[in-house]
Each structure stands twice: as C-alpha cells, then as structure tokens.
Amino acid sequence: MTAHSEFDSDTTVTAASAGVYDATLTDRWHTPMQSPNGGYSLAVALRALAHTVGAATPDPLVVSAFFLRRASPGPAQVHTELVRAGRRTATGEARLLREGQEIVRLVATFADLAHSRGRSVSLTHAPELPPPEACVPLGGGRRLPGATIADRVDMRAERAAGFALGQPSGDPTLTFWMRFADGRDADPMSLPMLVDAALPAVLELGERGSSTIELTVHVRAHPAPGWLLCRVVTRHITQGYHEEDVELWDTRGVLVAQARQLALLPETAD
Amino acid sequence: MTAHSEFDSDTTVTAASAGVYDATLTDRWHTPMQSPNGGYSLAVALRALAHTVGAATPDPLVVSAFFLRRASPGPAQVHTELVRAGRRTATGEARLLREGQEIVRLVATFADLAHSRGRSVSLTHAPELPPPEACVPLGGGRRLPGATIADRVDMRAERAAGFALGQPSGDPTLTFWMRFADGRDADPMSLPMLVDAALPAVLELGERGSSTIELTVHVRAHPAPGWLLCRVVTRHITQGYHEEDVELWDTRGVLVAQARQLALLPETAD
C-alpha cells in the first residue's frame, strides 16, 4: 500500500452515531455515465460495515449489493446493522444514503481469510497473458469524457479490445491485467470495487454498457502484491438481462475473487 | 400446477400485521442434516416478500439470501420491507424468524418477466441428456434417513451419480432432470427452492455436503411446463470455501435460472 491511496481516502467513513457513518462520495470514480461507479459506492458502505462488524472478522467473504438509484458526488451516510456474529463469521447489512435516498443496500458475511483452513481444490487455472509491461491499455488509450475512474484503475491486455477500436469482437469475454493506478495493492476490502470497475464484456457485443441491478462478490484470498489478472465473461442475455462473471487472480495464480452481477442493457433500463 | 401442491401448501404465509407474515416450516423438506432445506426457508420468506412488493412485479428477478442459522420445523414469522418500487422493478427485503431468531435474510428485486423485452443472445446451450423416462434416479435410489426433501423433488440422470455408488467421480459436475415429485410445474417463485434442492457437486469429490452461506439466484424466464434440466458445477474450493453454480433450463432449451452459492465444507463449518 502506498503512503497515500486514492481509494483509501475516497472511501473514508467517520462514525457519527451508533451504526451511522458519514462519508463523502467523490467525483473521482465516475463511469462514462458521469456518476460514481457502483463498486465505489459499495466500497464506502462496506468500509462502514467492516467497522460495525469488528476486527475479529476483518475480511468480506461474500457481499451482495443491490443498486437502487444512481449515486452522485457529495456527502453520504451509511447505516449499518450487525445481523449475526458467529464463531468464525459475522454477517451485517449496510445502506448507503445520499440526500436521504437509499443508493445501495448490501448484506455481507465477514471472516478472517488469513486464518481460514480446509480443503483446497482448483479445477481451473488463471488465464495466461504476456506480462503487464508487454501489454497495452485495454481501452486502446481512449478516454471517455468524465469517466474519471479510468484515471484510478489501470487495465492492460495483450491488445486493445475490439470495441475500443470500433470493432466489437462478438465474443463477450475480456481478459486483462488490472490494478490501482496509484500503485495501491489490492486487498479483500478493495476487491469488490475492482470487480465492478472491470470493463463489461457486453461492450464486445456492440452494447454501450449496462446497469447493474445486483452484484455478488466472493472474496477467496488475500491477493499477493502487484497486478491482478481479470477475466470477464457474459454467457446469457435474455430480454435485456444478463449476467456478468468476473474472476480475479493474483500473480501467484491464486483465485482471489469471483463475482457475478445481474445487469440490464440500457435500452431496457428501469 | 396440480390441484394440491406440496410446495404451495408448505410455503403458505398469512398477513399478521403491516409487513409481518405468519408461516409454518414443515418437516417435509429436510436435507440429510434433518433440518429444512435452505431453499425451502428462502421460498417461504420470498413468498411473503412477493405479497409486500405487490402484483405489478410478480416475479423474483434476482434474490440474494444469507443463511444465518439452521432452521427447524414449526411456526415462523417473516418481516418484510419494500425498499424501492421503480417503474419496472421493485426491491424488498425479508427476514425469516423462528423462535425469535433470524434464520434467513434475503434481498430481492422483482419484475414482470412475462413483459420484459430487450435483446437476447445465448452463447451456451442446455446440457443434453436422454429423455427423463429413459433416466434413472440421480442418487441411485438410495434414500438417506430423514431426508424428506427426496420425496418432494425428483432428480434423474443418464446413470446414477458416482458418489451414490460409493465411487465419487472426482469431477464436481452433475447434470440431471429435475421436477417436483407431485407434478407441480416450476415457476419463477419456486425456481430458487429447486436451485437449492439440487444435489451438491462436491459429493463427487467425496464430500458429504456443505453449508450454504449465501445463495444468489437470477430468474430469467417463466419455465415451460414439465421437467427442468439442471447442471451443477463447482470449480474452486479454497480453504473449505467453494462456489456452486446451478443452471436450470426448460424443455424448450431456455435458460430459466442461473444461481451461485458460497458454501463451506462441513469440517470447517462455522
């Protein structure tokens, strides 16, 4: 972790009263829709919830977030609830409010991943890519106006994605390296944000993007320092609704996060 | 739907006061752990929530359920909250309590799947199996004592699963036909229960089962009447934690539900 991390600064929460935290959503994590990335709002709510849940279970093991309204930059509040504290896991809920309206509701189970044990079996492997130094920007260096998140998260691939060159490949699969632009290493608390920052694979079907309804992230391990390998895949689009699966692997070849979201293509957005 | 459906009877909820419903968990959906299947408890909570959310958005589009404690048969209450009603979707939360303790917490977004529209693209296909009449019981006809859910849900495969013959295949993938034993057709409200009733693929790794921490179900379409094709896959087991992916397809080859759970192998259960 660097001395000054943009992610850590911009997800700071301050206890206001029992179970209530103050935060400020910045304009530095905007998507091309020019509003804060859902994963960023999620990360702010999750950070408040981690305080409520306590230090014995520091790592989000599974997070499910429902995105209710588009966020906007400015002061926000997070209301948290400890739902159940067990011997090895604790579950809580957080609601992020902006101007009194609920933006994100999430439920998460926390654990201590550094002390988890049990059987491990890996039946798939990390994708293979040339080293990050030999890769190029996934988006072809194109910078959409207002999409400030592109300055916060780097994504590099063997070649620029088809959609970035105006030629969507027709195959909604993207494989690339990913990290914070300021060099902050990923950790369990930031993996859900990184998962949602990944470019959507439906761009390769000629879509402009899509709106996340719900995102579930399983955090599996503390990542090794450095770049993460990311694979994004969509397999089923039914009447505008589609899943997006994201896997994040570290440079040791360890799966560190697995995520799925249900999203809606924009022409049918609610 | 048959005149008398066990699922419909056993998930009946009665409005008690604003946002509170009474229900009775029966002993007819027990897993081999001799307690109610998580998907059954989920279905009771979801049914109460559907009442709260209202008839304009009758279908659960995405459900995320956290399983907090083991359920037991007897009277239960469901507390519901309408979180946001939008133009085309509505989101709510439900908490299932048994003897005052919270068993399941779920958040769900509802929609009207019969009137959804938008682009459809299918990049994979339903698994292929001989017709159900030519298949045999997935579990080899073995009936674990107390596992009453086996009398409620039929599962048939080309041949009995390896684990059922005492020879786990080592490949945590199961493909089979599935339906309610009493002939009730599946619908969006029952798909989350069926997803969780599916036998876990880790049985083929020699495990005895696992405990679900969180289950997310995406319902994609109203299924055609009759059997459903089910594919269950686990790809990553890390320190006892594993995902389980379930897809359900109808006989038209339409993907009707896609689900993922995070579960913990029993030797490391919380």
Side-chain angles (χ1 to χ4, degrees):
Chain A
M1 199 179 297
T2 54
H4 173 77
S5 149
E6 297 172 311
F7 176 77
D8 294 331
S9 301
D10 290 358
T11 58
T12 300
V13 295
T14 311
S17 58
V20 180
Y21 298 82
D22 289 323
T24 302
L25 299 183
T26 74
D27 62 4
R28 307 202 299 168
W29 306 84
H30 277 16
T31 70
M33 306 297 281
Q34 308 207 12
S35 59
N37 168 254
Y40 167 56
S41 299
L42 184 167
V44 172
L46 192 64
R47 193 154 164 194
L49 186 55
H51 281 285
T52 294
V53 160
T57 50
D59 303 315
L61 176 67
V62 47
V63 184
S64 166
F66 284 74
F67 298 94
L68 302 165
R69 293 177 179 86
R70 184 170 296 182
S72 58
Q77 290 74 44
V78 185
H79 294 247
T80 65
E81 174 197 356
L82 179 62
V83 174
R84 179 180 183 247
R87 193 164 50 88
R88 299 250 292 273
T89 61
T91 300
E93 178 171 300
R95 295 177 289 123
L96 176 76
L97 281 77
R98 172 92 181 96
E99 297 181 326
Q101 290 211 297
E102 189 170 344
I103 305 296
V104 179
R105 173 169 302 208
L106 67 82
V107 183
T109 296
F110 288 73
D112 183 352
L113 285 170
H115 293 93
S116 61
R117 53 186 177 280
R119 185 175 181 186
S120 292
V121 181
S122 191
L123 296 147
T124 66
H125 298 284
E128 297 197 358
L129 272 188
E133 310 77 49
C135 287
V136 299
L138 177 66
R142 205 174 50 147
R143 167 75 153 73
L144 293 172
T148 53
I149 196 169
D151 301 327
R152 309 275 103 71
V153 180
D154 283 347
M155 296 178 234
R156 292 190 188 188
E158 191 161 6
R159 56 187 73 85
F163 75 86
L165 308 174
Q167 298 172 321
S169 70
D171 173 15
T173 301
L174 294 170
T175 306
F176 51 91
W177 294 103
M178 193 176 200
R179 72 167 181 187
F180 284 109
D182 66 4
R184 182 197 192 277
D185 287 316
D187 57 9
M189 285 297 287
S190 57
L191 289 173
M193 200 288 295
L194 288 170
V195 153
D196 198 50
L199 286 178
V202 293
L203 295 174
E204 290 292 33
L205 293 177
E207 298 289 341
R208 290 172 293 126
S210 63
S211 309
T212 305
I213 298 172
E214 191 267 352
L215 169 66
T216 303
V217 184
H218 302 179
V219 176
R220 294 295 194 93
H222 284 265
W227 288 88
L228 298 173
L229 256 172
C230 183
R231 181 162 46 196
V232 185
V233 182
T234 290
R235 290 185 190 86
H236 306 280
I237 305 179
T238 51
Q239 302 182 298
Y241 296 108
H242 66 93
E243 96 286 6
E244 179 170 285
D245 285 355
V246 178
E247 291 175 348
L248 290 177
W249 308 72
D250 71 12
T251 49
R252 300 168 301 177
V254 170
L255 179 77
V256 297
Q258 193 176 26
R260 173 172 289 168
Q261 61 173 258
L262 183 72
L264 187 55
L265 296 177
E267 63 269 32
T268 52
D270 187 42
Chain B
M1 196 178 298
T2 54
H4 174 78
S5 149
E6 297 173 312
F7 177 76
D8 293 331
S9 301
D10 290 358
T11 58
T12 300
V13 296
T14 310
S17 58
V20 180
Y21 298 82
D22 289 323
T24 302
L25 299 183
T26 75
D27 61 4
R28 309 202 298 169
W29 306 83
H30 276 17
T31 72
M33 307 296 281
Q34 307 206 13
S35 59
N37 167 256
Y40 167 55
S41 299
L42 184 166
V44 172
L46 192 64
R47 193 153 163 195
L49 186 55
H51 281 286
T52 295
V53 159
T57 51
D59 304 315
L61 176 66
V62 48
V63 184
S64 166
F66 285 74
F67 298 93
L68 302 164
R69 293 177 178 87
R70 184 170 297 181
S72 58
Q77 290 74 45
V78 185
H79 294 247
T80 64
E81 175 197 357
L82 179 62
V83 174
R84 179 179 182 248
R87 192 166 50 89
R88 297 250 293 270
T89 62
T91 299
E93 178 171 300
R95 296 177 287 120
L96 176 76
L97 281 75
R98 171 94 179 93
E99 296 180 329
Q101 290 212 300
E102 188 171 345
I103 305 296
V104 179
R105 176 169 300 209
L106 66 82
V107 183
T109 296
F110 289 72
D112 183 352
L113 285 170
H115 293 93
S116 63
R117 54 187 177 278
R119 186 176 180 185
S120 292
V121 182
S122 190
L123 296 148
T124 65
H125 298 285
E128 297 198 358
L129 273 187
E133 310 77 51
C135 287
V136 300
L138 177 66
R142 207 174 50 148
R143 165 78 153 72
L144 293 172
T148 53
I149 196 170
D151 300 326
R152 309 275 101 71
V153 180
D154 283 347
M155 295 179 234
R156 293 191 187 187
E158 190 160 6
R159 58 187 71 84
F163 76 85
L165 307 173
Q167 298 173 319
S169 71
D171 173 14
T173 301
L174 294 170
T175 305
F176 51 91
W177 294 103
M178 191 176 202
R179 70 167 183 187
F180 284 109
D182 66 4
R184 182 197 192 277
D185 286 317
D187 58 8
M189 285 298 288
S190 57
L191 290 172
M193 200 288 295
L194 289 170
V195 154
D196 199 48
L199 286 177
V202 292
L203 296 173
E204 290 291 35
L205 294 176
E207 298 289 342
R208 291 171 294 127
S210 63
S211 309
T212 306
I213 298 171
E214 190 267 353
L215 168 66
T216 304
V217 184
H218 301 178
V219 177
R220 293 298 193 90
H222 284 265
W227 289 87
L228 297 173
L229 256 172
C230 183
R231 181 159 48 195
V232 185
V233 183
T234 289
R235 290 186 190 83
H236 305 280
I237 305 179
T238 53
Q239 301 180 300
Y241 296 109
H242 66 92
E243 96 286 5
E244 179 172 284
D245 285 355
V246 178
E247 290 175 348
L248 290 177
W249 308 73
D250 71 12
T251 48
R252 298 170 301 177
V254 170
L255 179 78
V256 296
Q258 194 177 27
R260 173 171 288 167
Q261 62 172 258
L262 183 72
L264 187 54
L265 295 177
E267 61 270 32
T268 52
D270 186 40

